[in-house]
Every structure is written in C-alpha cells, then in structure tokens.
Amino acid sequence: MGERVQWNSNFTFLMAMIGAAVGLGNIWRFPYIFYSNGQGSFLIPYLCAILILGLPFLLLEYSLGAKFNDSVLNTFSKIDKKFKVVAWAIMIVSFLIVTYYLCIVGWDLNYFVMSFTKAWGPDPDVFFNTQFLQSAGLSGITNFIPYIFVAVIILWVIVWYISHQDLNAGIGRFTSLFVPLLFILGIGIAVYNVFLPGASIGYMRFLQPNWSLLLTPTIWLAAFGQILFTLSLGITVVLSYSSHLPKGTNLTKNALIVVVANCSFELINAVGVFSILGHMSYLTGLPFEKLIIDGSGLAFAVFPDVFNLMGSAGYILGPLFFFCILIAGITTAISYIEPLADSFEDKFNFSRKKAFTILCFVGFLITCIFTTGAGNTLIKIFDEFLNNFVLIFMVILQCIIVAYFYNLDSLIEVLNQKYVFKVGNLWKYLIKYILPILLFIIWVSGFYKLFSTSFAVMIIYIIIICFITLGSVLLNYLSNKRNCNV
C-alpha cells in the first residue's frame, strides 16, 4: 500500500467532521427532545453529557485515528486480530443507517422542489401522510412510489460522485463549500424567525425551565442519547476521518471546535424552530404544545403549514429550509459510507472508485425497499432498532475493546503532543468505567422497548441482526482469505 492520503488542511478536516455531525437529527429531532425534557433545564444534563460522553469519546476516536493512521479494519486488527469481525459489524451498521437515511433525504429533495410552489396544498399533514408517503404499513411494500424512487437515484448518484473522487477533491471540496453555507443559511433562518410576530411565544418556551424534571432519570438518558447521536459517535466516522490527519495535529482543539460548532448549530436551530412555531401559534390561536412534534412530521407537515400561513415569505423561507436539510443529509451520508469503503480499499485492494461504486450500488438496492408504501413504517423500525439498540451496543464494545485490550496511556501521549487542555487519568477513568456503565443503562432502556414491540417487528429485528452478523462474518472470512493468498 502507498502512503495514506492526508487532508490538505485542518479546515477541510473540520468541515468534513462538522458535516458528518450536523444532520437531520439536529434540525428536527433536537427541538422535540429539548421541549419534552424540561425545556431550559435540559441544558444542564445536555452540557453534562457533552463533558462526560461527547468530548471524551470523540477524543478516543480521534486518538485512535491519529495513532494508527489506518483504515478502521486495520486499526481494530492491530489492537487484536479477533476484533476484526467487530469492526466489520460496526461499519455494516453505519452503512445500513445510510440506506434508509438517504430515503428521508429523498423526501426532502421532493419537498425542496415542491416548496417553490407550495405543492403540498392547504393541508400539509394529510398530504404528507396519505398522498406523499402513501403509507400502508408493511403491506405496502409492493407499491413503489416513483417520485421518491427517482429522488433516491439522484441522491445516490450525488453521494457516489462526491465520494469516489480523491478524499480532498471529493468530500473535502464539497464539505468545505457547503458546510459553511449550511451554517450561514441555518443561522440566517433562525435570526429571521426570532423577529416574526408571536415568535416570543415559542422561544420563551425554549428558555422556560422545568427544574423538577432534573430529578428524573429520563431527562438524563435523553441528553446522553442525543449527544451520542448528534456527534456521530461510535460509527467509526470520526476514527476514519482522523486517520487522514498529519502527525502532530492539535486533536483536543479540533474536538472542541467540532463539539462547539455542532451543539451551537442545534441550539440556534432549536431557537429558530421554537420561534416559527410560536409565530404559527400566534397566527392560528393553536396551543404551542399542539405544534411541537418529533421526527419527520415537524419538517414535512408542520413547517409546510407555517410556510402556507407566511404568504409570499414562505416561497423564500421554504426552499431555504429544505435546502439546509438537503445539505445536512448529504454531508452526513457520505461520511457514514467512508469507513467501510476505506476498509474495502485496504483488504480487497480495490481502488477508491471501485469501492464506492460497489457500496453505492448495493446501498441503492437496499434503499429501494424504503421507497415503497411500507417505507415510512420500515424506516421507523430500522431507525429505532439500529440507533437505540445496535449502535449503542457497538459503542459499549468499542469502549471495552480500547480500554481493556489496548494501552490507553499511548493514546494519551498522542492527545497531549499538542493540546488546548491536557488529557490524563480522568479521561481514562471515564472511558474505562463511566461511559460503559452509562451507555449500558441507555442500552437496557432500549432493550426493554425492543421486547414490547409486535411480533412482525421482532421478525424484522431478527432479519437485521442476521444480516449484520452474516455480513460481518463473510467479510471477515474473505479478508482473512485474501491475507493468506497475499
């Protein structure tokens, strides 16, 4: 193998990292999590989660990438060869998330086009759930929806085009241009929303604390879960991206910048979301609590309704809003494929173009399942299972593997070569004891929810587990066989 490609500047790396972190969850998931977990008082567990989970685990993945300067698979193999199969499993989980994630981005691409004419009509809620998604439960799997299918094709081609190029020419150039644009547009929309009539109804709810909830475990679990997902922790994106950094990079400084940028964006975005919902409450007289909902319904049902009420201003704000989601979705999607493609290049001697061509084609085929009338139902099942159950389990495994089968002191040396703050025994204690315990508690709560689901959903869960397991074992066997033949 030749010398590993490096980022052409620290700025390029930071934009790629921030692009990986800022995704759909920042825009529509966080406002609801914030509102339903104490509003202003949620900031306390949120900040604690950053300090206890977000920053320490981010530093763990940064240090692994910078220490080994290798693919995810080779990094785990160098710790201990028996962990190669774990690496494959984590990367397959990340890849599976992309397959349904891009379908949601496909919804957004359609809405971006529709926003210029407000084609969703006078009742966006009914339009989204019945006409657009054509939701028919699992029985709708034979009903392909053409406009979502076409959007998915376009998005997979975009992802392939960006990713298959050289690291800096593709991902680096795209994120360096569009991540700053995303921040400019996102902050601009939030500032505009704050000055809308009735906006104070919303942002005052944002600031209003409910201190009594601080004594309940739910709010703390929600905060730690949000930080885990919002910083793209545990899916080896951070490890993969940081493995392309030159020696002597200030890792602690970069980690702080990524955390501050990502969390600032979602807080500012939340203020904007609360403000525009306050404006809607002011115009319609509806209680605020009737408007704030979780997930895609906020973006594709509530917000189009707001744009309808805004008149001509909605024709400007609508396209900008959906364009922001589009950028956030694409930058996150390309990062989730990178670790698996990078490992394909290393273990099977594929060119970057060949690795991404194969993965994008396979990913597209899987995504087709979500472009049916059963798509919305399947996405909810996949998302809840992979994010709330499988992914957290993988993060726990990573903590255990690195803390108990590798020398953490050697990673501390890497982190402290050049630093804003020094890393020491406290960080080791967090990685070795606190994080596995906290994540296990979050995992158990997801495990409990898992077994309260229907029989049909349980079958899908079993199929996903089998796919991850068999895929990991097969890729591990093929990579081992190739090593023997070389």
Side-chain angles (χ1 to χ4, degrees), residues 201-280:
I201 298 172
Y203 63 68
M204 289 305 292
R205 287 294 186 96
F206 179 83
L207 298 171
Q208 180 183 1
N210 185 348
W211 300 115
S212 62
L213 287 180
L214 286 177
L215 301 176
T216 62
T218 307
I219 184 173
W220 293 88
L221 291 176
F224 279 87
Q226 176 64 21
I227 291 300
L228 179 69
F229 303 135
T230 192
L231 290 174
S232 297
L233 302 177
I235 53 176
T236 65
V237 169
V238 178
L239 197 163
S240 181
Y241 275 4
S242 61
S243 69
H244 296 281
L245 285 170
K247 296 291 184 183
T249 300
N250 193 327
L251 299 176
T252 56
K253 179 181 176 181
N254 282 344
L256 277 175
I257 291 172
V258 171
V259 169
V260 170
N262 174 78
C263 296
S264 297
F265 179 85
E266 68 179 9
L267 285 167
I268 292 169
N269 173 74
V271 172
V273 168
F274 275 75
S275 296
I276 201 168
L277 293 179
H279 175 62
M280 185 176 183

Side-chain angles (χ1 to χ4, degrees), residues 29 53 57 86 89-90 93-94 97 221-230 232-235 382-400 435-449 468:
R29 184 179 189 268
L53 170 62
F57 197 87
V86 176
I90 295 170
V93 170
S94 177
I97 291 173
L221 291 176
F224 279 87
Q226 176 64 21
I227 291 300
L228 179 69
F229 303 135
T230 192
S232 297
L233 302 177
I235 53 176
F382 270 65
D383 186 56
E384 181 172 355
F385 183 62
L386 291 176
N387 276 316
N388 294 349
F389 185 72
V390 178
L391 185 57
I392 296 174
F393 181 71
M394 296 298 182
V395 175
I396 296 170
L397 275 183
Q398 287 181 72
C399 280
I400 294 171
L435 289 191
I437 293 171
L438 284 172
L439 293 170
F440 181 74
I441 293 170
I442 296 172
W443 182 78
V444 168
S445 66
F447 190 79
Y448 176 78
K449 285 184 69 177
I468 295 168

Side-chain angles (χ1 to χ4, degrees), residues 73 84-92 340 344 472 475-476 479:
L73 187 68
K84 285 172 62 178
V85 70
V86 176
W88 283 123
I90 295 170
M91 291 185 288
I92 289 174
L340 188 56
F344 268 35
S472 305
L475 288 172
N476 193 55
S479 62

Side-chain angles (χ1 to χ4, degrees), residues 39-61:
Q39 294 107 39
S41 55
F42 183 72
L43 282 173
I44 293 175
Y46 181 73
L47 291 173
C48 289
I50 291 172
L51 295 174
I52 297 171
L53 170 62
L55 193 55
F57 197 87
L58 201 61
L59 289 173
L60 177 69
E61 293 201 276

Side-chain angles (χ1 to χ4, degrees), residues 28 69 71 80-81 88 90 119 172 190 216 225 228 246 250 262 281 288 295 308 310 351 430 455:
W28 72 47
N69 283 119
S71 66
D80 194 310
K81 288 186 177 180
W88 283 123
I90 295 170
T216 62
L228 179 69
N250 193 327
N262 174 78
S281 178
F288 183 83
N308 283 348
M310 293 178 74
S351 66
L430 284 168
F455 179 74

Side-chain angles (χ1 to χ4, degrees), residues 272-343:
V273 168
F274 275 75
S275 296
I276 201 168
L277 293 179
H279 175 62
M280 185 176 183
S281 178
Y282 169 80
L283 292 177
T284 62
L286 290 171
F288 183 83
E289 55 271 13
K290 296 281 187 182
L291 302 175
I292 182 77
I293 60 174
D294 191 13
S296 58
L298 179 65
F300 301 120
V302 176
F303 266 70
D305 207 7
V306 177
F307 299 143
N308 283 348
L309 294 170
M310 293 178 74
S312 57
Y315 290 107
I316 299 173
L317 200 62
L320 290 176
F321 173 74
F322 290 114
F323 185 65
C324 283
I325 295 178
L326 188 63
I327 295 174
I330 292 173
T331 55
T332 300
I334 58 179
S335 71
Y336 278 35
I337 306 176
E338 179 69 26
L340 188 56
D342 192 22
S343 294

